[in-house]
Amino acid sequence: MKLVPQPYKITKLTGFSSQNEIDLFENAPEFSEEEYELFISADRIIARASCDKGFYYAKKTMKQINLLYDKIPCVLIHDKPRFSYRGIMIDCARHMFSIPELKKMISVASDFKFNKLHWHLSDDQGFRLEIEGFPELTEKGSVRKCDEFINCKSDKEYSGYYTKKQIKEIIDFCKDNFIDVIPEFDMPGHQSALLHVFPEFTCTGGDVEVKTKQGIFKDIICAGNDEARKVLEKILDEICELFPYEYIHIGGDEVPKTNWKTCEKCQKIMAENSLSDENALQCFFINKMAEYLENKGKKCIVWNDCLKGEGLSKTLTVQQWQGTAKKTALAANGGQKIIMSHFGAYYVDYPYGMHPLSAAYSFEPRNFRGLNSDGKKNIIGVESPIWTEHINNEDRLEYMCFPRWFAVAETAWSEKQNKSFNDFYSVCGSLCEIYRKEGVNCAPESEWKKKSPLKRLTETIGFFLPKK
Ligand code: ACM
Ligand code: ZN
């Protein structure tokens, strides 16, 4: 029997069941919290788990069996996840999506047993999270001068943000689906929207625009500005109050250090703390922010750019997205927890010809150079992001994610030896068909079957060319 994600163990029994719903929920105190057993016999369907999470996943499996199979075969399923961290990420800073749309995405993801929603809520192109202490952040920081990215020819503004009430609505919805919500407040780079409101927090103090183009921008938060740090902490206070989960993502990606190099305040911090270079200063800055959050009982995640410098605290979880994984392997071997979001496999905002379904499926998160057996244990899971510079509507959002997120789900949940791309592919069409009927715009097979090198090349070039 093929399911997605494939369960840990399926024992075939004889015959078919006359039932299609679980009719008995039994306590199994010996199971871990996401583990469950589903016993489908001719006349009964029994689920066993140690808590609601396990029963929830048993019900999700039962739902998929009903969707995929007309006659329900008798089986005994024993299931538990390979990874504790199984994430999707949605960028709502470049383009926002409605609350019903986000619920739709979350709902499909939960059917595939994802358990983390990383919600990217602020970036150079917009600040989208209501902060009561600083209403200008959304009044001014959510507005950019142009609603499209590539040519910026339109003079239509783009703006919007999520109120705390809306954020709570998503958190409650996720709670019902056993998904933790991890907000990202990216720093010290990718903060043009905040710096538009607080230009005095840059090293140079000049005006900063909310950006209308994709890119990496040199105006970043000054690492030696006490006022900036206090405001960031107040924003984090509100974020912590709103999001009740263990993790907060504090970014740390793509930080150009040009301004830090010539800033007196930044250089003073470096001298006082004997920091060898600006990359070490970034670690120092991030460690301080993380320490602040850890004192409030949170754990922090940062992008792997933070490993460029010396001294990143081991308490931080690192999300690997690009670059050689050499430093990531060393960090993992030394005890750092790692989430794998390999760009070529898991960045689903890129066209299927560039990041094919087979790559999303086949990527093995615990297999990279330099990783030893301790390091492997510290790879706690995977996450697939959708960045939205090029995605400004719901149909496109769904098209890019599905079925690639079905593929990622199988790596996140299923044991390596239980995976087979051919088996996955054999049900992928049916799954897309089923979800299309529920209104999800899954990409057609022509997108996700193997493409010719020429087609892949043209899609790759097309992605980087300006759009008309
Ligand atoms: C990233 O894609 N800049 C994390
Ligand atoms: Zn500075």
Side-chain angles (χ1 to χ4, degrees), residues 96 99 119 121 127-132 138 160-171 242-243:
M96 280 186 76
I99 297 297
W119 199 358
L121 283 164
F127 195 100
R128 314 243 173 260
L129 164 66
E130 179 186 14
I131 300 291
E132 281 162 272
T138 42
Y161 65 91
Y162 299 103
T163 61
K164 286 199 167 165
K165 187 162 172 269
Q166 288 175 314
I167 299 267
K168 281 189 189 129
E169 195 178 329
I170 291 295
I171 290 173
L242 192 55
F243 294 88

Side-chain angles (χ1 to χ4, degrees), residues 68 121 153 158 200 233 280 331 349 378 386 397-398 403 427 443 457:
L68 284 175
L121 283 164
K153 288 210 171 106
Y158 186 92
E200 65 275 24
E233 287 175 359
D349 42 313
N378 286 323
I386 179 120
L397 183 72
E398 294 165 17
V427 292
L457 185 68

Side-chain angles (χ1 to χ4, degrees), residues 201-204 221-225 259-260 263-267:
F201 294 168
T202 63
C203 295
T204 54
I221 296 168
C222 175
N225 185 321
N259 290 348
W260 281 7
C263 169
E264 260 176 42
K265 287 191 200 135
C266 286
Q267 293 300 315

Side-chain angles (χ1 to χ4, degrees), residues 185-400:
F185 181 50
D186 198 345
M187 60 179 115
H190 284 287
Q191 278 284 16
S192 300
L194 176 138
L195 293 170
H196 177 61
V197 177
F198 295 107
E200 65 275 24
F201 294 168
T202 63
C203 295
T204 54
D207 284 352
V208 179
E209 289 281 282
V210 180
K211 298 294 186 280
T212 53
K213 296 236 148 99
Q214 181 171 7
I216 300 172
F217 302 97
K218 72 172 187 351
D219 279 318
I220 61 170
I221 296 168
C222 175
N225 185 321
D226 281 342
E227 274 312 302
R229 191 178 40 76
K230 281 184 208 148
V231 168
L232 294 177
E233 287 175 359
K234 284 199 177 124
I235 294 171
L236 288 170
D237 288 345
E238 286 198 34
I239 291 176
C240 289
E241 220 171 89
L242 192 55
F243 294 88
Y245 298 103
E246 64 175 337
Y247 289 114
I248 305 277
H249 202 304
I250 53 172
D253 59 322
E254 300 178 320
V255 184
K257 313 287 188 327
T258 335
N259 290 348
W260 281 7
K261 280 188 206 292
T262 52
C263 169
E264 260 176 42
K265 287 191 200 135
C266 286
Q267 293 300 315
K268 185 162 170 268
I269 299 277
M270 281 174 62
E272 281 170 3
N273 295 282
S274 309
L275 302 173
S276 55
D277 61 9
E278 286 72 21
N279 286 325
L281 178 58
Q282 177 172 342
C283 292
F284 182 84
F285 174 90
I286 288 283
N287 287 348
K288 281 263 175 251
M289 285 297 157
E291 198 181 304
Y292 183 78
L293 288 163
E294 283 161 9
N295 285 335
K296 293 168 87 70
K298 298 291 184 186
K299 289 186 191 162
C300 292
I301 305 176
V302 289
W303 297 104
N304 73 294
D305 311 48
C306 292
L307 287 173
K308 272 190 205 147
E310 297 292 318
L312 189 72
S313 161
K314 283 272 175 259
T315 57
L316 288 153
T317 297
V318 170
Q319 185 167 8
Q320 167 74 29
W321 70 283
Q322 64 131 21
T324 65
K326 206 166 138 195
K327 293 205 165 172
T328 305
L330 276 177
N333 297 346
Q336 198 115 36
K337 299 277 186 271
I338 310 287
I339 298 158
M340 295 302 288
S341 289
H342 179 53
F343 166 80
Y346 285 177
Y347 270 42
V348 298
D349 42 313
Y350 285 77
Y352 281 80
M354 201 175 156
H355 294 173
L357 179 68
S358 56
Y361 188 86
S362 306
F363 176 71
E364 167 45 40
R366 283 188 170 140
N367 181 21
F368 55 93
R369 197 188 296 225
L371 198 63
N372 66 22
S373 55
D374 285 337
K376 280 185 204 269
K377 285 186 211 131
N378 286 323
I379 310 295
I380 59 166
V382 298
E383 183 182 293
S384 176
I386 179 120
W387 299 98
T388 61
E389 289 94 338
H390 305 283
I391 296 164
N392 64 1
N393 66 72
E394 300 175 347
D395 275 357
R396 191 77 189 149
L397 183 72
E398 294 165 17
Y399 188 98
M400 299 309 269

